[in-house]
Amino acid sequence: MSESNGGCVQQARNTTTVSWWRLGWLGLALVAVSVAPKAHAGDRLLGTWGVSEVDGAGGGGLTPWATITGSGSSNQNGGSVFATWLRTQDGYDLQISGAAVGIKDSIELSMARWSFKLGDTVPGKAIEMNVLGAKFKVAGDAVYDQDTFMPQVAVGAQLKELAASDRDLVKSLGATGTSDIDVYATATKLWLGGLAGRNVIASGTARLTRANQFGLVGFGGPGHETHKLQLEGSLGLMLRDDLVLGAEYRMKPNNLASGGAILREDNAWDLFLAWFPCRGGSLTLAWVNLGNIVGKEDQAGLYLSAQASF
């Protein structure tokens, strides 16, 4: 095949990828429009649907919960849109935007768009990634099953794909894939008055993944082609009905360890404060530590996320 023909084929593939994601966003928007008129104030307790996780799912900032996004109860629909910003002390800059819809407090569909600016590591360069997710409630109710230890349980999947312009870069670092699917199971439980009369919410997630740095550095690596089981968790104390103080932890696979210390991957954690001034919105402020990122140790910084819910 000639070089010009090869370029045409690559351009066609890139166009197909872009069109696929545009169709995904359009589909999610159509679902949101269709359910929006059915969303009301809802019967769910304020804030128990969580905020927006970095991959777009409803839950904490770093990890999904088993609850479904939006303020709608079991006979209602709802959803959310969000924007998240994180800047580390060494100049990495992360921006995420996304949306999700919740259908009758049972099904959640979500999308998120990542843009990660590499600072002085690669000046002027940003890695972009799209995430398409689905989550299904399978058992329990995190809030209203107070007479049992049974948590709410959900399963989900997230399709992650890097922008075509970033694929050569992540492969040069050792990643063997530029798109992949995470699958997870998560359990969430709220204890009303569980600590000194204040509500306590806890969630645990088991994820099968090959993602390097959440997927920003591709998927898999030399000798690491299979999905690994990673654990995640969050714990929150409701200081008031509209204010939640908590912490999260998310394990990440170390697929590129053969690349030396520069590509070592650490687990992520945060301390957060989430404020729900009304049923229609929330603000989350957190201190997030992402660990080593391409040779820069202890990459930590302030995280701010705003969400509008219906």
Side-chain angles (χ1 to χ4, degrees):
M1 180 181 291
S2 68
E3 184 177 348
S4 60
N5 287 341
C8 290
V9 171
Q10 183 61 43
Q11 183 178 6
R13 289 174 178 171
N14 294 350
T15 301
T16 300
T17 298
V18 171
S19 299
W20 190 88
W21 282 104
R22 285 178 177 171
L23 286 173
W25 280 107
L26 178 60
L28 186 63
L30 290 174
V31 174
V33 169
S34 69
V35 304
K38 302 176 185 177
H40 309 289
D43 301 319
R44 298 169 68 184
L45 294 180
L46 182 66
T48 56
W49 49 87
V51 294
S52 291
E53 183 243 353
V54 289
D55 292 318
L62 282 179
T63 180
W65 293 357
T67 53
I68 302 299
T69 195
S71 59
S73 61
S74 60
N75 61 347
Q76 301 167 331
N77 302 313
S80 62
V81 294
F82 76 97
T84 295
W85 303 267
L86 169 64
R87 183 177 177 84
T88 72
Q89 77 272 22
D90 284 330
Y92 290 124
D93 192 327
L94 175 63
Q95 299 179 25
I96 307 172
S97 59
V101 294
I103 303 170
K104 299 188 182 303
D105 197 27
S106 296
I107 300 172
E108 177 183 286
L109 304 175
S110 62
M111 295 190 77
R113 173 78 172 182
W114 289 52
S115 178
F116 187 68
K117 296 180 181 179
L118 298 176
D120 59 8
T121 301
V122 185
K125 174 65 177 175
I127 295 177
E128 296 186 336
M129 181 176 70
N130 293 295
V131 185
L132 176 64
K135 181 167 63 177
F136 305 91
K137 176 181 175 180
V138 296
D141 189 293
V143 179
Y144 295 110
D145 286 347
Q146 291 295 307
D147 57 347
T148 175
F149 288 107
M150 176 70 181
Q152 182 166 326
V153 178
V155 296
Q158 294 169 337
L159 169 62
K160 301 182 177 184
E161 185 172 40
L162 288 166
S165 58
D166 300 320
R167 295 172 187 175
D168 289 341
L169 173 61
V170 301
K171 285 186 175 181
S172 72
L173 296 174
T176 56
T178 58
S179 65
D180 205 63
I181 298 176
D182 286 4
V183 294
Y184 65 87
T186 180
T188 303
K189 181 70 174 177
L190 175 74
W191 290 272
L192 297 174
L195 181 63
R198 292 180 170 84
N199 300 341
V200 176
I201 191 162
S203 188
T205 299
R207 180 188 300 264
L208 287 173
T209 182
R210 295 193 312 140
N212 307 320
Q213 302 291 1
F214 303 98
L216 288 170
V217 191
F219 304 86
H224 297 280
E225 289 301 311
T226 60
H227 289 71
K228 295 180 180 178
L229 178 64
Q230 304 293 293
L231 301 180
E232 308 167 9
S234 61
L235 179 65
L237 174 66
M238 301 184 74
L239 303 177
R240 304 189 312 234
D241 289 344
D242 63 347
L243 196 64
V244 183
L245 175 67
E248 297 178 290
Y249 190 83
R250 178 167 173 170
M251 295 174 63
K252 295 185 290 176
N254 195 20
N255 293 326
L256 301 178
S258 60
I262 191 172
L263 295 179
R264 189 194 76 248
E265 187 168 2
D266 299 323
N267 299 331
W269 59 269
D270 71 27
L271 300 174
F272 70 86
L273 185 67
W275 178 42
F276 298 84
C278 61
R279 298 191 71 85
S282 66
L283 290 172
T284 303
L285 179 66
W287 178 260
V288 180
N289 190 307
L290 301 176
N292 179 72
I293 302 179
V294 193
K296 293 185 176 181
E297 298 280 351
D298 297 321
Q299 289 306 292
L302 286 176
Y303 164 110
L304 177 65
S305 185
Q307 174 182 274
S309 303
F310 60 90

